[in-house]
Amino acid sequence: EAGVAQSPRYKIIEKRQSVAFWCNPISGHATLYWYQQILGQGPKLLIQFQNNGVVDDSQLPKDRFSAERLKGVDSTLKIQPAKLEDSAVYLCASSLAGKETQYFGPGTRLLVL
Amino acid sequence: GNSVTQMEGPVTLSEEAFLTINCTYTATGYPSLFWYVQYPGEGLQLLLKATKADDKGSNKGFEATYRKETTSFHLEKGSVQVSDSAVYFCAKLGGGSYIPTFGRGTSLIVHP
């Protein structure tokens, strides 16, 4: 069974530029999560989808971050414009509907210069 | 409160030593508790979990017991191997919050 796929694996941009990350969850997983993991810290939930609806986005900085999951499968997370403090690893995870166990992708490491 | 606190690392051990990584949580109810492991260059993987008080999660020689009275979920292993070197994250879900909450992670380094 294929795991959670993310791309790109690494991205370097300058501040004020835009960037987008892509996630393809495990087939059949209705729930999708985006996390931000700053160096030395645990993952922090940014947004959680159930199919194509948002379950929670209370910790998403909506002035610059956006995410969508239009067809209830793949998802994209965008930052526009990026700030230095956005440098982090962005993790995508998925789970079966109603199940607590999350399966994580390898993450996208973002460096904002 | 809604937090997970882990002991600071790195934890450095010799092979076959006993491992304990402490984890405590705050919650208004009774969350499910998890340990995830992150090997270098990889994503987080679920190591074990427990969903109610006094449950013991176990996997690959690791164990953790859900202690309601001390709000703890300490990770233990009787004999660590070099291949156990990784970062370990304690996490909770539920218990008054539907937002998954992770600790800061504890780095484990095992020397031959």
Side-chain angles (χ1 to χ4, degrees):
Chain A
E1 179 183 88
V4 176
Q6 290 187 248
S7 67
R9 291 295 308 274
Y10 305 93
K11 190 73 177 179
I12 301 174
I13 61 173
E14 295 187 348
K15 60 183 179 183
R16 290 187 290 273
Q17 285 188 321
S18 301
V19 64
F21 312 127
W22 173 82
C23 172
N24 182 234
I26 292 173
S27 177
H29 282 198
T31 309
L32 185 146
Y33 310 80
W34 281 104
Y35 291 88
Q36 180 191 58
Q37 185 179 14
I38 292 173
L39 187 64
Q41 299 183 20
K44 183 184 86 170
L45 182 70
L46 294 175
I47 189 167
Q48 178 181 342
F49 291 95
Q50 179 82 2
N51 297 308
N52 60 351
V54 175
V55 174
D56 190 283
D57 64 357
S58 58
Q59 302 187 117
L60 185 74
K62 298 180 186 65
D63 58 333
R64 298 184 301 107
F65 286 66
S66 65
E68 59 184 15
R69 194 185 184 200
L70 293 176
K71 296 182 179 179
V73 180
D74 294 6
S75 177
T76 56
L77 175 70
K78 296 179 182 178
I79 308 175
Q80 180 180 4
K83 293 185 175 181
L84 296 177
E85 57 262 35
D86 298 332
S87 295
V89 176
Y90 290 85
L91 297 167
C92 180
S94 69
S95 68
L96 289 167
K99 298 296 184 182
E100 296 176 323
T101 300
Q102 298 178 52
Y103 297 82
F104 284 81
T108 296
R109 189 175 299 274
L110 173 68
L111 179 60
V112 182
L113 302 175
Chain B
N2 181 41
S3 64
V4 175
T5 303
Q6 292 180 234
M7 62 188 289
E8 290 219 15
V11 174
T12 304
L13 296 172
S14 297
E15 207 164 23
E16 299 184 2
F18 184 86
L19 168 71
T20 300
I21 300 178
N22 291 338
C23 171
T24 58
Y25 66 90
T26 59
T28 56
Y30 302 107
S32 293
L33 302 173
F34 307 82
W35 277 101
Y36 282 85
V37 58
Q38 187 174 34
Y39 298 103
E42 298 183 14
L44 279 73
Q45 303 172 28
L46 179 66
L47 181 60
L48 53 84
K49 68 176 184 180
T51 57
K52 60 182 188 295
D54 299 325
D55 268 3
K56 178 185 284 188
S58 61
N59 186 26
K60 299 181 181 179
F62 291 88
E63 292 183 341
T65 301
Y66 191 142
R67 302 287 188 198
K68 181 180 65 175
E69 61 277 10
T70 53
T71 61
S72 65
F73 193 55
H74 304 323
L75 183 68
E76 296 181 337
K77 186 174 186 182
S79 175
V80 293
Q81 305 300 312
V82 172
S83 57
D84 294 327
S85 298
V87 181
Y88 293 81
F89 292 91
C90 185
K92 73 178 189 72
L93 179 63
S97 172
Y98 291 100
I99 296 176
T101 304
F102 286 77
R104 298 172 66 93
T106 302
S107 175
L108 170 66
I109 301 169
V110 180
H111 293 292

